[in-house]
């Protein structure tokens, strides 16, 4: 039994060592040789095709350089087991339905974080992993701590950002030698913004991480188009978005990327 286990483990290690670099779509706006920091922050406007597709190109480029990568996403940590099962699956319709049946994918309020484009990005991680690429997928969002006090959105934001930073720090501790690409809303990934502090009154996830590790902040902008957002709880759907940067104007930006015109990505549950 022990011999069999050791042989299997050695075979797996050999497969990983021999995995050819992935074939990547070129990202001309992203000089990867300049990104040496361990944490790369990508702040998005949820609910469109272009932001997750950009992150796919970014991760592919890092893997092609031989850099192991953690993709950290704004998904609940309670979903991690379901994500892991999907990554180990064949990616068939039944596998996708099993993942998308998780509560956050089917919740009445869909703000774009559970989009078809996000599911496509998760599936790309599955394909990379099964091809032997050193890539991990980590959910960041910890449950809101129950309190008898009235709900305070600023306190919830502060607690959520600290919890996401702690989730990523723990993942990096578990995976020595890996870099992390963090895809989350711009208000979470923002670094060094006085406007953010004046509005929320506490550090963002990006600010917390910047006190712990070197970070590289990518600022996205887009042309006009449509994205899937919520203006009020349960009032969600395609909304027009003007051409503009997505980050706060006083935020630190290390690399700027223009995504061009954007197209809406519907909730994944609507397509299954």
């Amino acid at each position: 039994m022990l011999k069999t286990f050791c042989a299997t483990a050695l075979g797996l290690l050999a497969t990983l060592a021999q995995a050819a670099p992935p074939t990547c779509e070129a990202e001309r706006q992203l000089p990867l040789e300049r990104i040496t920091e361990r944490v790369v922050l990508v702040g998005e406007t949820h609910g469109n095709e272009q932001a997750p597709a950009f992150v796919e190109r970014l991760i592919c480029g890092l893997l092609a350089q031989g850099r192991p990568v953690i993709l950290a996403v704004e998904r609940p940590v309670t979903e991690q087991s379901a994500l892991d099962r999907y990554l180990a699956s064949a990616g068939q319709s039944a596998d996708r339905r099993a993942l998308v049946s998780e509560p956050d994918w089917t919740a009445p309020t869909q703000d774009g974080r559970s989009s078809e484009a996000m599911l496509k990005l998760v599936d790309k991680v599955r394909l990379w992993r099964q091809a032997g690429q050193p890539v991990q997928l980590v959910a960041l969002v910890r449950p809101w701590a129950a309190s008898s006090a009235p709900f305070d959105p600023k306190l919830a934001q502060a607690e959520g950002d600290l919890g996401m930073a702690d989730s990523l720090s723990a993942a990096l501790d578990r995976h020595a030698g890996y870099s992390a690409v963090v895809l989350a809303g711009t208000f979470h990934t923002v670094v060094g913004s006085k406007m953010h502090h004046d509005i929320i009154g506490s550090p963002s996830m990006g600010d917390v991480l910047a006190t712990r590790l070197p970070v590289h902040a990518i600022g996205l902008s887009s042309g006009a188009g449509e994205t899937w957002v919520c203006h009020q709880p349960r009032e969600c759907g395609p909304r027009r978005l003007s051409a503009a940067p997505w980050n706060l104007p006083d935020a630190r930006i290390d690399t700027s990327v223009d995504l061009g015109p954007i197209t809406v990505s519907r909730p994944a549950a609507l397509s299954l």
Side-chain angles (χ1 to χ4, degrees), residues 120-271:
K120 190 184 304 182
L121 179 59
V122 170
D123 192 62
K124 189 63 179 181
V125 173
R126 181 187 66 82
L127 293 172
W128 279 326
R129 283 173 59 87
Q130 295 188 8
Q133 298 301 325
V135 59
Q136 306 289 333
L137 178 63
V138 172
L140 293 176
V141 181
R142 299 184 175 188
W144 164 249
S147 171
S148 58
F151 178 76
D152 182 338
K154 292 185 179 181
L155 180 60
Q157 176 95 5
E159 182 180 305
D161 279 335
L162 180 58
M164 286 194 286
D166 288 344
S167 294
L168 183 63
S169 295
L172 289 168
D173 287 343
R174 292 194 303 271
H175 299 288
Y178 278 66
S179 299
V181 173
V182 183
L183 175 61
T186 52
F187 242 61
H188 300 301
T189 60
V190 66
V191 176
S193 169
K194 182 178 182 299
M195 290 180 65
H196 176 277
H197 193 274
D198 289 346
I199 295 169
I200 302 300
S202 61
S204 67
M205 171 183 62
D207 284 325
V208 175
L209 289 170
T211 67
R212 300 175 180 178
L213 292 162
V215 303
H216 189 101
I218 294 180
L220 299 179
S221 61
S222 76
E226 282 192 326
T227 198
W228 187 284
V229 295
C230 299
H231 287 303
Q232 296 292 333
R234 303 199 182 196
E235 292 183 14
C236 308
R239 297 287 188 275
R240 292 292 300 171
L241 198 66
S242 300
W246 290 358
N247 50 281
L248 291 173
D250 66 341
R252 168 186 146 192
I253 299 298
D254 300 309
T255 298
S256 296
V257 173
D258 185 353
L259 299 177
I262 61 166
T263 51
V264 69
S265 182
R266 303 189 319 151
L270 297 180
S271 63

Side-chain angles (χ1 to χ4, degrees), residues 36-53:
T36 59
E37 296 84 355
R38 195 176 182 200
V39 176
V40 183
L41 300 170
V42 182
E44 72 161 346
T45 294
H46 302 307
N48 57 81
E49 293 284 346
Q50 283 68 30

